[in-house]
Amino acid sequence: KKTFRLGKTLPEAYKAWAARLETIDGAKSIGQLFDRYAMEEIPTKAPRTRVENTRALGRLRAVFADMPMMSVTPKHMYQYVDKAKQKGPARKEVKLFSAVFSKAVEWGYMRYHPLKGQIPMPLDEPRTRYVEDWEIIECLSLPCTRKKGSVLMIQAYIRVKLLSGFRRGHMLRLKPEKFTDEGIPIMPNKTKKTTKAKHVLEWSDALREAVQLAKDVRPVADSPWLFCNSAGDGYINEETGTASGWDSNWQRFMERILAETKVTERFTEHDLRAKCASDAETLEHAQALLAHADSRITAKVYRRKPVLVRPLR
């Protein structure tokens, strides 16, 4: 974000703001295009995406801001990734650049998208880590001297996550007051604009037990959140979409797991979500649990168990 002076009086402010909009509306350089995208598109995105897109635009701006729009070619994109120290983030920045150009076509700055279909950047290989059942047992058996919060809360969290497959953001936003007799309603943000599907995770005995355990071990019993900190507040910072307090708890938990149990390889919350999908009997069930609009993502990224094939005879 940048601040700039509009003027001493309201008429001066209107004039300065109109001039700024006129400059952006008649954008010719990549930097001016980035300005409009930052003003109109980034604010409409989820908090975490806003932060990531703003940082990515800053890195792209340092390289491309002064270039005319139509001078950018696929060659520039490949050179950008080749020179980047971290290839994965750079590829995502190229994807964002392509989205900016799509808006440029929509806004009438260009007749065609100069990068569309011409930069098939290879993505990082998906993780293959599958968390075994015995590793989960080790995690749930880790002793805790406290009666609430701390390790007990993370263990309850793991139980709920393995049954639901919810993303971290959904898990940390769960409020028992919103649960219904049918189950736990959830509207996945990533499918709001695609399938528009509303999901309800139906109750089972195991899910009811896991949720009740999570309630019982909260550090603040009357907190509105299923998982809360010692003050009873939720972990998600809605302005940035981050949960630094929860991330710190998870890291400390994993350090204890590696030091005090037979588990030798670290795993992430994303790996637990993948375990939920891998343990589902069918791809269709896994897709429904993870609320994916496309089953190909479920199969490629989240189904990590080997496929058992019967012999011919």
Side-chain angles (χ1 to χ4, degrees):
K1 295 180 179 180
K2 294 183 179 180
T3 59
F4 54 91
R5 185 174 179 79
L6 289 174
K8 295 181 180 179
T9 64
L10 187 59
E12 288 180 3
Y14 283 141
K15 184 177 180 180
W17 183 246
R20 181 176 175 83
L21 289 180
E22 183 179 354
T23 299
I24 294 175
D25 188 52
K28 295 182 184 295
S29 72
I30 297 296
Q32 291 173 314
L33 181 58
F34 284 163
D35 287 341
R36 180 168 181 180
Y37 191 86
M39 289 178 63
E40 297 185 18
E41 294 302 314
I42 290 182
T44 67
K45 300 186 178 185
R48 184 72 175 269
T49 306
R50 289 201 298 266
V51 173
E52 293 175 350
N53 281 185
T54 300
R55 290 173 179 169
L57 273 188
R59 290 188 286 269
L60 290 167
R61 190 188 299 274
V63 178
F64 298 102
D66 295 331
M67 293 179 63
M69 288 185 197
M70 295 307 298
S71 66
V72 177
T73 66
K75 177 183 177 180
H76 294 119
M77 298 294 98
Y78 285 110
Q79 289 176 339
Y80 181 79
V81 174
D82 287 341
K83 293 181 179 180
K85 293 181 179 179
Q86 295 180 313
K87 306 300 182 186
R91 294 187 189 107
K92 291 182 179 180
E93 288 158 16
V94 169
K95 184 177 180 181
L96 174 62
F97 204 160
S98 181
V100 173
F101 271 137
S102 293
K103 279 296 175 180
V105 175
E106 179 182 327
W107 292 330
Y109 298 148
M110 300 175 166
R111 291 184 179 181
Y112 63 90
H113 192 311
L115 305 177
K116 192 83 169 179
Q118 300 186 61
I119 47 172
M121 292 285 178
L123 300 177
D124 293 336
E125 288 296 319
R127 283 174 62 85
T128 58
R129 173 76 160 99
Y130 174 74
V131 185
E132 301 286 349
D133 291 345
W134 69 267
E135 294 178 293
I136 297 298
I137 294 173
E138 290 282 315
C139 292
L140 299 182
S141 302
L142 189 70
C144 180
T145 56
R146 299 182 184 180
K147 294 183 179 180
K148 292 188 177 183
S150 186
V151 170
L152 293 177
M153 182 175 61
I154 294 182
Q155 289 171 333
Y157 179 95
I158 290 174
R159 292 178 186 273
V160 175
K161 192 175 185 80
L162 288 177
L163 292 168
S164 65
F166 290 158
R167 297 178 177 89
R168 187 194 66 160
H170 295 157
M171 290 285 293
L172 296 180
R173 288 184 176 92
L174 289 176
K175 290 185 174 182
E177 65 182 22
K178 294 187 177 181
F179 298 170
T180 67
D181 293 338
E182 292 181 325
I184 303 177
I186 197 77
M187 169 61 89
N189 289 331
K190 291 192 175 182
T191 57
K192 278 183 178 180
K193 295 182 180 180
T194 52
T195 64
K196 301 183 184 298
K198 294 182 179 180
H199 298 261
V200 176
L201 183 67
E202 295 180 341
W203 291 116
S204 66
D205 291 342
L207 182 59
R208 287 185 185 276
E209 182 180 346
V211 168
Q212 187 59 51
L213 177 61
K215 290 180 181 179
D216 294 340
V217 300
R218 286 181 296 182
V220 179
D222 59 351
S223 171
W225 307 94
L226 185 61
F227 302 101
C228 65
N229 59 26
S230 58
D233 300 324
Y235 281 99
I236 294 286
N237 181 332
E238 295 297 349
E239 291 186 4
T240 62
T242 58
S244 57
W246 178 262
D247 292 342
S248 297
N249 288 341
W250 181 265
Q251 292 301 321
R252 288 193 293 270
F253 178 76
M254 286 307 306
E255 288 170 2
R256 282 198 61 187
I257 291 298
L258 295 175
E260 302 177 27
T261 72
K262 297 178 181 178
V263 178
T264 58
E265 185 181 355
R266 184 182 297 270
F267 59 84
T268 67
E269 289 196 51
H270 200 257
D271 293 331
L272 292 180
R273 183 165 153 84
K275 177 175 175 57
C276 179
S278 299
D279 291 347
E281 292 186 2
T282 64
L283 175 60
E284 290 74 16
H285 188 198
Q287 180 187 358
L289 279 170
L290 271 55
H292 282 159
D294 191 337
S295 63
R296 289 176 295 182
I297 295 296
T298 315
K300 181 178 180 179
V301 179
Y302 293 90
R303 297 279 278 183
R304 299 181 182 177
K305 272 185 175 180
V307 177
L308 298 178
V309 181
R310 292 182 182 179
L312 184 60
R313 293 186 177 84

